[in-house]
Amino acid sequence: ACEPPCGCWELNSGPLEEQSVLLTAEPSLQPFSQLLSPTHYHTERYHLENYKDFKVVYHAWSIDDENCWHLDEEQVKEQVKLFLSQGGYYGSGKQLNSMFAKVREMLRMRDSNGARMLTLITEQFMADPRLTLWRQQGTSMTDKCRQLWDELGALWVCIILNPHCKLEEKSCWLQQLQKWSDLDICPLEDGNYGHELPNITNALSQSASHSPDSLSRPRRTVFTRAIEGRELHWQDSHLQRIISSGIYTAPACQRENERLLFNSHGQPLWLEHVPTACARVDALRSHGYPKEALRLTVAIINTLRLQQQRQLEIYKHQKKELLQRGTTTITNLEGWVGHPLDPIGCLFLTLTEACRLNDDSYMEMSDMNESRLPVYQHVPVASGCPNSNESYLSLALEVALMGMGQQRVMPEGLYAQDKVCRNEEQLLSQLQELQLDDELVQTLRKQCILLLEGGPFSGLGEVIHRESVPMHTFAKYLFSALLPHDPDLSYKLALRAMRLPVLENSSSAGDTSHPHHMVSVVPSRYPRWFTLGHLESQQCELASTMLTAAKGDTLRLRTILEAIQKHIHSSSLIFKLAQDAFKIATPTDSSTDGTLLNVALELGLQVMRMTLSTLNWRRREMVRWLVTCATEVGVRALVSILQSWYTLFTPTEATSIVAATAVSHTTILRLSLDYPQREELASCARTLALQCAMKDPQSCALSALTLCEKDHIAFEAAYQIAIDAAAGGMTHSQLFTIARYMELRGYPLRAFKLASLAMSHLNLAYNQDTHPAINDVLWACALSHSLGKNELAALIPLVVKSVHCATVLSDILRRCTVTAPGLAGIPGRRSSGKLMSTDKAPLRQLLDATINAYINTTHSRLTHISPRHYGEFIEFLSKARETFLLPQDGHLQFAQFIDNLKQIYKGKKKLMLLVRERFG
């Protein structure tokens, strides 16, 4: 099963001299310099692309020996153990990847110790103490570590599929892999989640009646795919002919069973589960058979093309029904992007390696002052078809587009979903290296059209499964690449890709008809998409890319705006798009793009509506930005948002930010408004202010008064709203603020009225001598005193009722006796100029209240007083005495008060001694 089965294979290992390499390690790394013991060797340098930090040394036992190297096994073990103990830090992940790359290089040179070295590495990985810890704690391993395990599993698949290995070797490896796989600590293929993918040797052809649960399989570890490789062999005669000859075509007279083996052009097909077929390619590449790998790759691509054509035909028959229904349950459970075997990456790499420019060609090109140096060149495909003018490079582009455009269901689990995104980004970064000449543009255009017409089989088809992996990142690449060559097609494709069905469709109807390689899945749950935030941001990036490209094109901008409003559901992302559009529309070095600016405004308005009734910490920033955007659009936009404020803003936002900014001096200058325009804006702002004050007087009354200052009727209306609301839910603080504003505007009597209402809402306890409202109380008393005796007489009963803090009352009393009342100079009034007596009304009531407050406060303080507060208490009594002594009989009243204290609190001997010393 493992030996090359016939003479058509030319898989000889080749002369040893061509395979030896010089290995030297940098002093700080020392991973390989001591791994191989020297006896006799021939040297030649190789550039190892995947691990540039290392230059490795092979030492052969003899120039005539087979490729048998002596490994210093203990050194390998110690190095891996050390790197693993560093947990991915200090570059250890890079070191381990370099060791994996070394294994691949050994396999490529058919060094029989490659598998042995991988065994040593795997033993150390399985001995990693963190595996037990992660399992006990139920936590997932780090991403870096998880990626290393993936590479380990992929390398074992390569080794098991080695077409040149012996049966006993393969059997030995499989036994060891099974032992590792059976251990509880062995990492699972898809992270820490149990959702299973189909078996490596099975095509995806289950019936429609199956549910996802019935498709599940026993526990799958990182080694399961390699173990499944025991079923695979290289003895198939059709496979042998494919990989042994580049001109293998269909025979003139085909037997019945041969018709499925070739396409209509006579090119051979390889009908095998795609990731499995690609694993064969990887094995051929990895074991030093690049030509054979290329031949099999071409056969796989021809098979994918045929499958794509058949899927198109199937969709044409179902199209009318699917479009009417608008949903489908047809999907691939096994996606090629993010797959553990990385089938698309494998095919792409195999093809592009055949097209890579060598160093000499590259240096010649660099002398031509090209702005961007080409990495690849077109190499014609070796084909038996005379009319074939394809290149491996165009095939690489085609298969990458096919793979990324495959419609497939989002896998379960954080790691598997993250891997889909990461693998897609890796493929796209490789595609970016291709310089799109006419041939590649033709390939790109053709494949884009097929993807758009692919129905449920393409991720860019008209109708796709609700849980399909989104195409935003892929479509962004396609859009940018295709835009200079076919703008209509690029916009059609990008607009199609804008959707995110998992957030748009609540359910999916059952579509039981499905072809080979597809599975019908009826979603029974809301999926757990751990990468949804990332996917939505990619959707936003696609929209932003289109907006930038469509600047100046009114029709396209309108279409993009509609797509954004339909498909993007995150307010923060729409706000980002609005900001992007605004920046693009208002460059500092050229004129403003009015259409794009209006798109920014419309997106901003949508954000306002979306966040109006929800909590959003960026809301204030969003409101300010919208007003800025509307100002840039012009006076009509400002008038519009002022008139429809209730659908966009809260009353507070509308008055304090929107209206205030709209009528500001800065806005008038920015827009160069004439008098009628200024009046129109001011009128709209006043109307808004009164509406907001009616709806939320507590928050908006003051802003409304400010906005209505220049219009007497509107100002009176705002004042009346404030008065009417005062008896309701307004706080003393709000009322005092409005009252002070009224005094500042020259309405002292109105201010007094509001201050009186505020006083009735206040309650200051005996111990609240630092309350923030104290300044308001003192201001209100000063205002009433300045207005005259009548106003003071009206306020004092309210003060007495609301304020029970002795020190505050005594302060008010003192201030009222310093100057004569009525000095505010109210027209029609005269001040007597006489100071007020505390023995007469209205100050007598205030005096009595102050004395009572001192008495009550004294008793309250003495209830829980400690010796360290005795001195403070004596000072408090001294202040109380100043108030007691104001009336004529005050000294007698105070003496009686002190005697009562001595009698009631005679148990506090030390304190009473201090009282006698001070007060007799």
Side-chain angles (χ1 to χ4, degrees):
C2 296
E3 290 283 7
C6 66
C8 68
W9 281 67
E10 305 214 357
L11 304 184
N12 297 324
S13 55
L16 180 61
E17 289 86 351
E18 294 177 12
Q19 299 174 41
S20 304
V21 267
L22 175 64
L23 283 157
T24 54
E26 298 191 14
S28 59
L29 302 175
Q30 301 182 350
F32 298 121
S33 58
Q34 300 156 18
L35 300 189
L36 303 149
S37 300
T39 49
H40 173 83
Y41 60 90
H42 177 82
T43 64
E44 182 180 340
R45 287 186 182 271
Y46 280 81
H47 171 66
L48 303 181
E49 177 187 352
N50 291 328
Y51 53 108
K52 296 175 182 173
D53 287 336
F54 294 104
K55 297 171 190 158
V56 192
V57 179
Y58 288 29
H59 299 289
W61 286 106
S62 165
I63 199 75
D64 300 316
D65 281 350
E66 292 292 325
N67 295 351
C68 182
W69 313 95
H70 174 67
L71 283 173
D72 186 340
E73 297 192 357
E74 289 304 314
Q75 177 85 356
V76 173
K77 290 178 183 177
E78 287 303 313
Q79 289 286 349
V80 178
K81 187 175 180 180
L82 172 65
F83 295 150
L84 285 172
S85 70
Q86 293 172 352
Y89 301 103
Y90 314 111
S92 60
K94 188 178 179 182
Q95 304 271 31
L96 288 166
N97 275 319
S98 296
M99 295 188 83
F100 288 145
K102 176 62 201 153
V103 171
R104 284 194 179 272
E105 180 66 8
M106 293 170 80
L107 297 179
R108 187 179 68 80
M109 299 185 68
R110 302 166 208 171
D111 179 347
S112 59
N113 269 322
R116 179 58 190 155
M117 184 170 175
L118 185 62
T119 301
L120 297 173
I121 293 171
T122 308
E123 285 173 350
Q124 293 306 308
F125 267 67
M126 291 299 296
D128 189 342
R130 292 177 298 171
L131 292 178
T132 304
L133 187 66
W134 285 326
R135 179 172 174 78
Q136 289 172 347
Q137 295 177 344
T139 54
S140 58
M141 63 175 69
T142 63
D143 274 356
K144 284 184 181 178
C145 194
R146 179 73 248 184
Q147 289 164 33
L148 292 169
W149 275 100
D150 281 352
E151 177 62 11
L152 195 66
L155 275 170
W156 276 113
V157 171
C158 261
I159 284 173
I160 294 299
L161 291 183
N162 178 7
H164 198 58
C165 75
K166 296 181 174 63
L167 267 174
E168 56 269 26
E169 283 182 320
K170 185 173 182 178
S171 176
C172 182
W173 293 333
L174 285 167
Q175 286 180 15
Q176 184 58 65
L177 286 168
Q178 193 63 59
K179 284 182 183 177
W180 286 328
S181 187
D182 288 341
L183 295 173
D184 288 342
I185 58 171
C186 187
L188 301 181
E189 181 177 68
D190 57 350
N192 292 316
Y193 297 87
H195 180 69
E196 307 304 343
L197 293 173
N199 185 294
I200 188 172
T201 56
N202 291 350
L204 205 55
S205 58
Q206 291 85 357
S207 72
S209 61
H210 285 179
S211 69
D213 291 337
S214 69
L215 292 174
S216 63
R217 281 169 173 61
R219 172 177 173 270
R220 294 179 63 85
T221 71
V222 291
F223 302 120
T224 300
R225 289 183 182 272
I227 294 167
E228 290 169 352
R230 64 157 57 96
E231 307 295 332
L232 298 172
H233 60 81
W234 297 87
Q235 291 174 324
D236 183 274
S237 59
H238 181 58
L239 175 61
Q240 291 171 23
R241 291 189 183 100
I242 289 172
I243 62 181
S244 63
S245 172
I247 56 172
Y248 173 43
T249 57
C253 297
Q254 293 184 24
R255 292 191 293 268
E256 184 66 30
N257 62 346
E258 288 181 330
R259 289 179 182 172
L260 294 174
L261 302 181
F262 302 91
N263 63 16
S264 59
H265 302 294
Q267 295 168 310
L269 306 174
W270 182 239
L271 301 172
E272 188 174 36
H273 176 228
V274 174
T276 308
C278 296
R280 289 185 187 273
V281 172
D282 193 31
L284 288 169
R285 245 186 81 250
S286 299
H287 287 92
Y289 305 111
K291 291 180 181 178
E292 290 80 2
L294 265 177
R295 292 164 187 160
L296 182 54
T297 296
V298 173
I300 292 169
I301 291 173
N302 283 329
T303 309
L304 291 176
R305 286 169 167 173
L306 184 62
Q307 176 184 308
Q308 191 177 50
Q309 287 300 324
R310 288 178 178 171
Q311 289 173 347
L312 277 171
E313 291 166 14
I314 292 168
Y315 174 55
K316 284 175 184 175
H317 290 98
Q318 299 178 339
K319 186 172 182 178
K320 185 176 179 182
E321 178 190 350
L322 279 175
L323 290 178
Q324 284 177 344
R325 191 185 305 150
T327 58
T328 180
T329 55
I330 296 175
T331 189
N332 266 306
L333 282 184
E334 185 178 48
W336 298 332
V337 175
H339 191 283
L341 297 175
D342 188 18
I344 302 302
C346 167
L347 298 183
F348 184 84
L349 197 58
T350 303
L351 290 161
T352 52
E353 277 182 348
C355 305
R356 184 174 283 277
L357 287 166
N358 59 39
D359 289 343
D360 293 337
S361 303
Y362 197 82
M363 290 304 292
E364 286 178 22
M365 298 292 290
S366 65
D367 294 334
M368 297 168 64
N369 296 321
E370 296 271 337
S371 59
R372 182 182 167 204
L373 296 175
V375 180
Y376 304 106
Q377 61 185 342
H378 284 286
V379 176
V381 174
S383 171
C385 298
N387 297 326
S388 175
N389 58 356
E390 294 180 321
S391 77
Y392 291 121
L393 198 58
S394 62
L395 288 188
L397 175 61
E398 182 176 353
V399 78
L401 300 179
M402 274 188 187
M404 285 189 285
Q406 178 208 28
Q407 192 275 129
R408 68 267 189 194
V409 75
M410 178 68 79
E412 288 190 31
L414 170 59
Y415 180 73
Q417 291 173 13
D418 184 60
K419 192 173 180 181
V420 168
C421 300
R422 194 165 57 243
N423 192 196
E424 184 179 47
E425 286 165 3
Q426 288 168 350
L427 287 167
L428 288 172
S429 70
Q430 290 170 327
L431 281 179
Q432 300 284 358
E433 292 184 351
L434 303 182
Q435 284 195 8
L436 297 179
D437 56 20
D438 291 344
E439 187 176 339
L440 292 184
V441 168
Q442 189 177 349
T443 301
L444 175 67
R445 190 174 180 279
K446 180 182 176 183
Q447 194 55 227
C448 285
I449 292 170
L450 289 170
L451 288 172
L452 283 171
E453 294 175 350
F457 309 102
S458 161
L460 292 164
E462 286 179 274
V463 181
I464 56 171
H465 186 271
R466 175 174 174 259
E467 294 182 31
S468 288
V469 173
M471 296 281 120
H472 307 128
T473 312
F474 179 42
K476 182 184 170 187
Y477 163 78
L478 295 177
F479 176 80
S480 299
L482 199 56
L483 188 63
H485 311 286
D486 193 337
D488 289 343
L489 182 59
S490 63
Y491 276 104
K492 182 178 181 182
L493 189 146
L495 289 166
R496 174 77 60 80
M498 273 294 292
R499 64 198 170 188
L500 189 51
V502 74
L503 296 181
E504 294 165 13
N505 302 332
S506 57
S507 63
S508 186
D511 179 10
T512 55
S513 60
H514 64 289
H516 184 63
H517 283 308
M518 307 303 277
V519 174
S520 176
V521 181
V522 179
S524 58
R525 57 178 173 78
Y526 186 82
R528 298 182 68 197
W529 283 30
F530 297 94
T531 54
L532 189 58
H534 171 75
L535 296 172
E536 285 188 286
S537 70
Q538 290 302 303
Q539 182 187 33
C540 176
E541 285 296 315
L542 173 60
S544 184
T545 302
M546 283 195 286
L547 285 172
T548 304
K551 181 179 178 181
D553 191 325
T554 303
L555 187 59
R556 291 206 197 281
L557 284 173
R558 178 55 51 185
T559 309
I560 297 165
L561 174 63
E562 289 170 1
I564 292 168
Q565 292 173 329
K566 180 179 180 182
H567 295 299
I568 298 186
H569 305 280
S570 164
S571 58
S572 60
L573 290 177
I574 296 176
F575 182 51
K576 181 185 181 301
L577 281 174
Q579 290 177 304
D580 288 350
F582 182 81
K583 287 176 185 175
I584 300 162
T586 56
T588 55
D589 55 350
S590 61
S591 59
T592 298
D593 184 299
T595 307
L596 190 52
L597 191 58
N598 274 291
V599 167
L601 180 62
E602 286 201 40
L603 290 173
L605 294 172
Q606 184 179 348
V607 172
M608 290 298 99
R609 288 187 285 267
M610 290 174 75
T611 58
L612 178 57
S613 56
T614 59
L615 293 175
N616 190 308
W617 64 274
R618 297 185 68 189
R619 173 74 186 179
R620 194 171 182 84
E621 175 196 353
M622 291 170 172
V623 173
R624 290 189 182 282
W625 178 88
L626 184 82
V627 179
T628 302
C629 184
T631 304
E632 199 67 32
V633 173
V635 68
R636 300 321 313 160
L638 280 176
V639 168
S640 176
I641 65 171
L642 289 174
Q643 290 176 339
S644 58
W645 71 268
Y646 45 87
T647 64
L648 304 170
F649 315 108
T650 65
T652 306
E653 291 167 349
T655 53
S656 63
I657 302 175
V658 182
T661 307
V663 297
S664 68
H665 186 63
T666 305
T667 302
I668 292 168
L669 290 177
R670 177 74 184 86
L671 295 178
S672 303
L673 299 180
D674 57 26
Y675 181 76
Q677 289 174 321
R678 291 201 299 270
E679 280 304 298
E680 183 182 16
L681 268 183
S683 176
C684 288
R686 288 193 293 268
T687 303
L688 173 150
L690 293 175
Q691 290 171 345
C692 293
M694 287 290 289
K695 190 169 185 179
D696 185 5
Q698 292 90 343
S699 305
C700 301
L702 181 58
S703 296
L705 286 163
T706 306
L707 288 165
C708 295
E709 281 176 1
K710 295 180 180 178
D711 187 284
H712 177 72
I713 296 174
F715 187 81
E716 289 299 317
Y719 172 69
Q720 194 56 49
I721 290 170
I723 293 295
D724 293 343
M730 291 185 79
T731 65
H732 59 79
S733 178
Q734 291 167 334
L735 288 168
F736 275 129
T737 303
I738 298 172
R740 290 197 175 205
Y741 165 80
M742 288 307 239
E743 185 196 29
L744 186 66
R745 301 303 304 171
Y747 296 100
L749 292 173
R750 290 184 175 184
F752 170 73
K753 185 173 183 179
L754 285 163
S756 301
L757 290 168
M759 195 67 74
S760 64
H761 287 64
L762 180 65
N763 184 28
L764 266 179
Y766 76 91
N767 56 351
Q768 291 183 297
D769 51 1
T770 57
H771 194 283
I774 290 173
N775 282 333
D776 289 326
V777 172
L778 294 176
W779 168 82
C781 292
L783 174 66
S784 61
H785 184 266
S786 69
L787 290 174
K789 189 173 180 181
N790 293 338
E791 283 74 17
L792 184 61
L795 189 68
I796 282 177
L798 297 175
V799 172
V800 168
K801 185 178 179 181
S802 300
V803 181
H804 307 286
C805 180
T807 53
V808 175
L809 290 171
S810 63
D811 195 6
I812 296 170
L813 185 64
R814 181 185 60 77
R815 290 170 187 244
C816 287
T817 57
V818 172
T819 58
L823 297 178
I826 301 295
R829 294 195 186 182
R830 274 190 176 180
S831 171
S832 64
K834 293 182 179 179
L835 297 178
M836 298 177 69
S837 170
T838 55
D839 289 331
K840 296 178 181 178
L843 293 188
R844 182 68 206 199
Q845 183 183 3
L846 181 59
L847 174 63
D848 292 342
T850 306
I851 290 171
N852 286 333
Y854 270 119
I855 293 170
N856 293 332
T857 303
T858 299
H859 289 299
S860 296
R861 292 182 71 165
L862 284 172
T863 306
H864 302 292
I865 197 167
S866 63
R868 61 194 179 95
H869 292 126
Y870 284 175
E872 183 185 324
F873 176 73
I874 296 299
E875 293 305 315
F876 173 77
L877 282 183
S878 297
K879 288 185 178 180
R881 178 168 62 179
E882 292 174 7
T883 303
F884 271 86
L885 295 179
L886 286 174
Q888 292 182 352
D889 59 346
H891 63 287
L892 295 174
Q893 196 174 354
F894 183 73
Q896 182 63 46
F897 172 54
I898 294 297
D899 288 343
N900 288 341
L901 292 181
K902 294 175 186 173
Q903 186 63 34
I904 297 170
Y905 302 102
K906 58 187 176 183
K908 300 182 185 295
K909 293 182 180 178
K910 186 176 180 181
L911 177 59
M912 290 305 111
L913 180 62
L914 293 173
V915 169
R916 286 193 189 94
E917 286 177 358
R918 176 69 68 91
F919 304 109

